[in-house]
Amino acid sequence: MQRRILTGDRPTGPLHLGHYVGSLKNRVALQDEYDTYILIADIQALTDNFEHPEMLEANIMEVALDYLAVGLDPNKVKFVVQSMVPELTELTIYFMNLVTTATLERNPTLKAEIQQKNFTKGLPVGFYTYPISQAADITIFKAHLVPVGEDQLPMIEQTREIVRRFNRLYDKVLIEPKAMVGEVARLPGTDGGAKMSKTLGNCINLGDPPEMVRKRVMSMFTDPTRIHPTDPGHVEGNPVFTYHDVFNPDKAEVEELKDRYRKGTVGDVEVKERLYKALTEFLAPIRARRVELAASPDDVRDIIREGTRKGRALAQQTMDEVRAAMKLRYALG
Ligand code: ATP
Ligand code: MG
């Protein structure tokens, strides 16, 4: 059997550079080798956006356009809309018995996100339990590998624990998946924050036009200790240089800029101008393809529909095995 990948994104906005280096690049590289399912996680997006369900439909299209624009081939890869696979919800409920509240409380990513999101009306149970729903996402497709950013590692660990428990308690039906982190485990935000994130407004999106990229690069956070361009500056931990390292293919130029920055012989503006140039060159073909695809939304919808149909068929197969293992096949039908 061909090994399988499951990964996904929340349709909370268009995808950004962090998604590219954290996960998309690996997905494109592995799509020939692995049977790949990509979940557009609208149910998970609702856990902290339940007051705005109207934004999901447009964002499902945005995310699918980004997938196609970076080179995911719909003849190989299945794009699956989470809420259109109701079996996922059933499996989530069964998994809930295999996880304690203490385990959820210890989850470092969940903890950080709860703090960051600052739920003023109390913590929704749906958000609190999303690691369990994510375990159902991964296991229902019997994935071996999950290409994700570093922030998702505790979720994969939680999934592995659930699988071990399930297989021990009931029957050996589920596969224990492995995480695969991208070349950049966690791309910082343009604000210097630890993570570029759709909902933090510190992103450069894959489909941003050049003038927007320029604006975002020129307003980027750099070395806070440096006041004048003639002050020696810090390269390490400076997001402008992190982006240069990742996106500027001219390594000699990057080394020269770092050297001059440390000595205080180059200003932030020049370093940013060069980054802008590298980024627009990187993004130009992605953006061109995205604009072209956006002109045929019906084709994109067909691709999503077909991927979801295949994903649901696989999920139904797994759920037959899950119900059998759990002795939920009563002679009552
Ligand atoms: P939201 O703010 O709605 O949570 P997000 O930007 O965190 O959005 P997700 O849809 O939650 O994006 O994440 C999708 C995938 O992209 C995950 O595997 C995640 O680890 C990865 N990812 C997201 N942001 C980054 C980043 N800055 N660096 C590396 N990987 C990232
Ligand atoms: Mg996220």
Side-chain angles (χ1 to χ4, degrees), residues 158-326:
Q158 173 72 82
T159 305
R160 291 167 61 86
E161 273 175 40
I162 291 174
V163 169
R164 287 195 292 267
R165 268 202 100 182
F166 184 100
N167 286 351
R168 218 181 314 119
L169 264 174
Y170 304 121
D171 199 359
K172 217 177 161 321
V173 167
L174 304 177
I175 289 172
E176 210 176 315
K178 286 198 171 63
M180 181 193 221
V181 172
E183 58 167 315
V184 181
R186 190 186 300 238
L187 190 74
T190 52
D191 58 354
K195 181 175 170 278
M196 181 177 281
S197 171
K198 286 188 224 97
T199 38
L200 293 178
N202 59 3
C203 304
I204 295 175
N205 294 328
L206 297 173
D208 277 347
E211 53 287 7
M212 177 65 85
V213 176
R214 187 157 212 292
K215 205 175 125 206
R216 303 215 205 239
V217 169
M218 296 321 277
S219 61
M220 261 180 89
F221 178 102
T222 57
D223 175 2
T225 64
R226 194 178 194 231
I227 320 260
H228 309 289
T230 49
D231 295 344
H234 296 93
V235 164
E236 284 69 31
N238 184 329
V240 177
F241 282 103
T242 306
Y243 289 20
H244 262 297
D245 280 334
V246 181
F247 297 105
N248 189 344
D250 186 346
K251 297 301 163 208
E253 176 179 86
V254 176
E255 284 318 306
E256 181 223 305
L257 287 173
K258 284 183 179 175
D259 191 48
R260 288 170 57 207
Y261 200 82
R262 288 193 184 101
K263 288 184 187 145
T265 60
V266 66
D268 280 352
V269 173
E270 186 182 339
V271 179
K272 287 178 172 177
E273 286 287 0
R274 306 260 199 117
L275 176 62
Y276 164 69
K277 187 170 162 285
L279 278 178
T280 42
E281 277 168 22
F282 167 74
L283 290 172
I286 297 176
R287 185 174 139 71
R289 225 178 114 62
R290 205 181 190 283
V291 169
E292 193 188 310
L293 290 157
S296 326
D298 285 342
D299 293 349
V300 180
R301 272 189 282 270
D302 282 345
I303 290 168
I304 302 174
R305 208 175 288 122
E306 185 55 16
T308 302
R309 192 186 62 73
K310 289 183 177 149
R312 183 158 191 213
L314 177 56
Q316 284 172 331
Q317 218 176 300
T318 305
M319 284 314 288
D320 276 346
E321 295 172 40
V322 163
R323 290 187 208 108
M326 293 180 71

Side-chain angles (χ1 to χ4, degrees), residues 7-10 12 16 18-19 21-23 27 117 147-152 184-187 195-200:
T7 183
D9 308 279
R10 295 157 31 104
T12 47
H16 51 65
H19 293 110
V21 290
S23 175
R27 302 180 201 179
K117 289 181 195 292
V148 281
E150 191 189 34
D151 61 300
Q152 292 302 307
V184 181
R186 190 186 300 238
L187 190 74
K195 181 175 170 278
M196 181 177 281
S197 171
K198 286 188 224 97
T199 38
L200 293 178

